[in-house]
Amino acid sequence: MNVNFFPFSNSLQILGRRQSLANIMCNQQSVTQSRKKDLFVRNTMYDTGIYTASAGKRNKMISNSILSAMNNDISKVRKQGDIYECEGTFFTAEQIPKISGTSLNEIKAEDNIIDFGKNKYFKYVSRDGQEHCLYTDNKGIGAIVSEIMRGEPYDPVLERYASFWNYMMTKDPVYVQLSYSDEEIRGYMENAGIKNGFFTVKMGDREATQFYSATKTTSPIQSKERYDARYKNLTSGGILLDEYEAGDIFKIGNKEYVLSESHTLGIPYGEDIYNIEYPSNYKFGKKVEE
């Protein structure tokens, strides 16, 4: 059988975790039209035992090992027309087994630590009760690309969820508020079981610790680095409290903190310093004469 196959990596740029899956779907459409372009498959490993009953006869579907190889290493997959080849096995999109969300678990936080695992399939259940299947590796989380190769439509809800948590892995996620409303942010945090305070996100061998605030005046998500800098300013002396007078009272939650002679506050580490209530007789850091 003399067929010339084109490796995926030669006809499509390797996409980063932040690129929209809409672009991937555009490439999927281009494959159908030109029958020469390739698809992008992100690195992952296949968990056995998640074939569905609707997958058809086993002898007509590609094996677990081929699916695993395909999803792990894009360079092993080649395509010509409607035919794919991986490690000597030839198949069509119809022979790629569907991955069932009913066999996948949701990822929830424990002790404010959410671990998406490594090379792991999981699902996100949105507020409307719909299941969205994803996977994770060391680069982040996203859609299962073998599902896209099967012809599954682009899922904007999945993409938005994945982008949010991938953003939580960045060094400074404070600007997440530019893309997500406070309601969305708090919705994702509630869905994951994360409470106000420090939280850690893990993906594969990477992890990041951020701070989740109940504030209504700034971004609910702050980096640990930003928190530490602000905490030092409030408790060790800095410009934030220079305009206030010793004895002024600040509130965090139901606790009151009295400003010392050295213009510092005795706030315990980990308190929600972004949800602070300043003395009522000050406006914009300036004392208002009564």
Side-chain angles (χ1 to χ4, degrees), residues 51-58 61 94 96-100 150:
Y51 283 135
T52 65
S54 62
K57 295 181 180 180
R58 284 295 181 91
M61 312 302 287
E94 289 73 22
I96 302 174
K98 179 177 176 57
I99 295 174
S100 171
R150 289 183 57 258

Side-chain angles (χ1 to χ4, degrees), residues 136-159:
T136 182
D137 63 18
N138 274 339
K139 295 181 180 179
I141 65 175
I144 304 169
V145 183
S146 62
E147 287 294 284
I148 297 175
M149 293 172 65
R150 289 183 57 258
E152 288 297 317
Y154 169 68
D155 186 343
V157 175
L158 178 154
E159 175 65 10

Side-chain angles (χ1 to χ4, degrees), residues 212-225:
Y212 175 37
S213 173
T215 180
K216 295 182 179 180
T217 59
T218 186
S219 175
I221 307 295
Q222 302 284 336
S223 68
K224 183 178 183 300
E225 184 176 298

Side-chain angles (χ1 to χ4, degrees), residues 4-271:
N4 294 323
F5 285 87
F6 299 94
F8 280 5
S9 55
N10 288 345
S11 61
L12 186 65
Q13 285 185 320
I14 299 301
L15 303 179
R17 279 291 184 268
R18 296 181 182 178
Q19 183 179 20
S20 170
L21 280 175
N23 293 333
I24 296 177
M25 293 309 299
C26 288
N27 290 330
Q28 169 73 48
Q29 295 167 359
S30 298
V31 172
T32 303
Q33 294 168 1
S34 69
R35 298 198 172 190
K36 290 185 179 179
K37 287 194 175 181
D38 304 323
L39 297 175
F40 171 69
V41 180
R42 287 187 275 189
N43 181 38
T44 187
M45 292 183 66
Y46 180 68
D47 293 329
T48 60
I50 53 178
Y51 283 135
T52 65
S54 62
K57 295 181 180 180
R58 284 295 181 91
N59 59 2
K60 292 184 178 180
M61 312 302 287
I62 61 173
S63 65
N64 280 359
S65 60
I66 295 300
L67 185 62
S68 177
M70 179 174 66
N71 280 337
N72 268 296
D73 188 355
I74 187 174
S75 68
K76 294 182 178 180
V77 184
R78 297 170 181 268
K79 185 176 190 294
Q80 174 65 39
D82 293 330
I83 304 297
Y84 296 93
E85 184 270 327
C86 180
E87 295 189 337
T89 296
F90 298 87
F91 55 94
T92 64
E94 289 73 22
Q95 292 176 279
I96 302 174
K98 179 177 176 57
I99 295 174
S100 171
T102 59
S103 300
L104 303 180
N105 294 321
E106 295 181 75
I107 303 295
K108 301 295 184 180
E110 294 184 9
D111 298 324
N112 261 25
I113 299 174
I114 183 167
D115 189 352
F116 289 97
K118 181 178 182 180
N119 301 326
K120 182 176 182 180
Y121 289 78
F122 67 96
K123 67 183 175 184
Y124 160 60
V125 180
S126 50
R127 289 185 176 182
D128 58 4
Q130 295 297 309
E131 294 182 344
H132 309 269
C133 300
L134 301 96
Y135 77 96
T136 182
D137 63 18
N138 274 339
K139 295 181 180 179
I141 65 175
I144 304 169
V145 183
S146 62
E147 287 294 284
I148 297 175
M149 293 172 65
R150 289 183 57 258
E152 288 297 317
Y154 169 68
D155 186 343
V157 175
L158 178 154
E159 175 65 10
R160 194 157 179 80
Y161 171 87
S163 295
F164 174 82
W165 288 110
N166 286 329
Y167 202 86
M168 291 300 101
M169 293 296 297
T170 61
K171 183 178 180 180
D172 190 358
V174 67
Y175 300 109
V176 69
Q177 197 178 34
L178 298 178
S179 301
Y180 296 84
S181 68
D182 285 359
E183 182 181 4
E184 283 182 291
I185 294 171
R186 298 193 189 283
Y188 286 132
M189 302 300 277
E190 180 182 354
N191 175 271
I194 294 177
K195 304 182 184 302
N196 293 127
F198 286 112
F199 68 97
T200 298
V201 183
K202 295 183 178 181
M203 293 183 183
D205 299 325
R206 301 181 302 133
E207 67 175 63
T209 297
Q210 319 292 2
F211 190 86
Y212 175 37
S213 173
T215 180
K216 295 182 179 180
T217 59
T218 186
S219 175
I221 307 295
Q222 302 284 336
S223 68
K224 183 178 183 300
E225 184 176 298
R226 281 179 179 267
Y227 180 96
D228 288 345
R230 185 177 182 84
Y231 180 79
K232 182 178 180 180
N233 197 296
L234 291 172
T235 60
S236 300
I239 61 173
L240 290 179
L241 303 176
D242 281 352
E243 299 297 328
Y244 296 92
E245 297 179 354
D248 283 340
I249 297 176
F250 298 74
K251 293 182 180 179
I252 297 179
N254 296 322
K255 299 178 182 178
E256 294 185 347
Y257 298 92
V258 180
L259 190 66
S260 69
E261 294 289 342
S262 58
H263 291 263
T264 61
L265 294 170
I267 304 172
Y269 186 75
E271 285 291 311

